[in-house]
Amino acid sequence: TFTSFAQHDISADSILSPGPQVGEPIVPVDLPIATRAQFTNRGASDETNIEVILRIADSSSSVVYSDTTFIASLKIGQSVNVSFAQWTPQHHGRYEVCARSLLPSDQDSVDDQVCNTTLIKNLDDVQALRIEYPTVKDTLPLGLSFEPLAFFRNVGAPDLDSVPVTLVIRRCSDQAYVGQLQALIQNLSTESSV
């Protein structure tokens, strides 16, 4: 078996942070996170002063983060994890994270870049989905007790426990306050509904 190597070839292998996780990596808004990527010398020559870059773009492909650094030296076949400046996401949404080697003499550009997608979410965020009972069409007799039914979804980053919710009841005719109910939602995992 004969394997041919390019004389000069630095590959971007993986995004280490943010990610990888099982499924899509989830990162909270407004918290600084490390940015790291792995690079490998796949060429037939030792390399020095290798410029590498990590960029993060939002869903409209606008670059919201970019940092460049140098790998001092990389021997043939050696891999290295490179740390870039921390990134503090400012808005929720999906972001593309890409790492790229910028070796000017690179002879195999196919493996120069690697990308993944990261989901930015508010840390603790619960969405009220709907009130199932009573509906706006229901008429309830005055003085009759009832048990409202409402649905909520965890759209935040971590699983949540003991989430306080409040249901305010107002009269439809004039929006006058009638009363309120408070409850705790137990065990609300990410992207689940109750």
Side-chain angles (χ1 to χ4, degrees), residues 13-14 22 50 54 59 61-62 64 71 75 86 88 90 94 96 101 104 113 116 130 132 140 146 156 159 162 180 183:
D13 300 326
S14 63
V22 176
I50 307 143
L54 191 127
S59 59
S61 298
S62 296
V64 297
I71 301 170
K75 298 202 177 294
Q86 286 188 329
T88 303
Q90 300 298 309
R94 281 191 166 66
E96 183 178 54
S101 65
Q113 180 169 287
N116 77 8
R130 68 186 178 280
E132 194 80 15
L140 302 174
F146 65 95
D159 293 347
S162 300
Q180 70 181 30

Side-chain angles (χ1 to χ4, degrees), residues 135-167:
T135 68
V136 292
K137 296 178 182 178
D138 292 330
T139 301
L140 302 174
L142 188 62
L144 178 70
S145 65
F146 65 95
E147 189 172 312
L149 179 59
F151 288 88
F152 299 87
R153 180 173 65 173
N154 180 357
V155 293
D159 293 347
L160 299 172
D161 192 31
S162 300
V163 178
V165 295
T166 302
L167 175 68

Side-chain angles (χ1 to χ4, degrees), residues 69-122:
T69 190
F70 288 86
I71 301 170
S73 67
L74 207 53
K75 298 202 177 294
I76 299 168
Q78 181 183 7
S79 296
V80 64
N81 297 339
V82 177
S83 294
F84 296 87
Q86 286 188 329
W87 172 49
T88 303
Q90 300 298 309
H91 304 285
H92 60 81
R94 281 191 166 66
Y95 290 80
E96 183 178 54
V97 181
C98 294
R100 183 173 190 81
S101 65
L102 301 173
L103 183 69
S105 60
D106 198 304
Q107 296 169 316
D108 184 5
S109 61
V110 173
D111 60 4
D112 288 357
Q113 180 169 287
V114 64
C115 298
N116 77 8
T117 301
T118 295
L119 182 59
I120 306 301
K121 290 185 158 192
N122 293 323

Side-chain angles (χ1 to χ4, degrees), residues 8 20 29 39 41 51-52 64 93 102 117 127 148 154 160 163 187:
H8 304 281
V29 174
F39 296 87
N41 183 351
E51 187 176 12
V52 292
V64 297
L102 301 173
T117 301
Q127 176 185 22
N154 180 357
L160 299 172
V163 178
N187 304 318

